[in-house]
């Protein structure tokens, strides 16, 4: 993955959500299968319940197709793009 830098010097960019789980352990397992790219787990609260989303990136807009192709070869068939500030990700 190619890091994305914006004018203010922050690490904002496009991330691909490659998995969303109710269990943090399942998110950790998916993250461990994709050590060849930068990934992070972000906890989200939906209807009062926690979801753990595995994110890959940041990815440059021009690299999205190639990133999805790489993920598909690694078993991730579905992903969706989100724009985030890296500082909002949970380590």
């Amino acid at each position: 993955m190619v890091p994305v830098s914006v004018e203010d010097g922050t690490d904002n960019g496009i991330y691909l959500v490659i998995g969303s789980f109710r269990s943090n352990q399942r998110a950790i397992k998916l993250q461990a299968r994709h050590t060849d790219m930068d990934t992070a787990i972000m906890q989200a609260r939906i209807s009062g319940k926690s979801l753990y989303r595995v994110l890959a990136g940041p990815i440059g807009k021009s690299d999205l197709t190639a990133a999805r192709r790489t993920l598909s070869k690694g078993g991730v068939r579905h992903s969706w793009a989100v724009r985030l500030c890296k500082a909002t990700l949970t380590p």
Side-chain angles (χ1 to χ4, degrees):
M1 301 295 148
V2 178
V4 175
S5 295
V6 293
E7 292 76 20
D8 65 1
T10 61
D11 235 353
N12 296 326
I14 299 170
Y15 291 77
L16 287 174
V17 180
I18 62 173
S20 187
F21 304 96
R22 290 185 191 154
S23 162
N24 187 37
Q25 292 303 314
R26 290 188 66 192
I28 290 169
K29 284 182 184 179
L30 179 62
Q31 183 181 32
R33 288 196 332 243
H34 295 282
T35 57
D36 58 330
M37 61 183 67
D38 291 334
T39 59
I41 296 173
M42 181 176 173
Q43 182 178 3
R45 301 276 305 166
I46 310 272
S47 300
K49 297 184 180 185
S50 290
L51 287 177
Y52 300 91
R53 294 193 168 149
V54 182
L55 307 169
I59 301 165
K61 193 172 183 179
S62 62
D63 296 322
L64 280 173
T65 301
R68 284 192 168 122
R69 196 173 307 122
T70 298
L71 288 165
S72 180
K73 289 178 184 176
V76 176
R77 301 289 180 237
H78 305 285
S79 63
W80 67 93
V82 294
R83 187 173 295 277
L84 297 172
C85 174
K86 191 171 184 175
T88 63
L89 300 178
T90 315

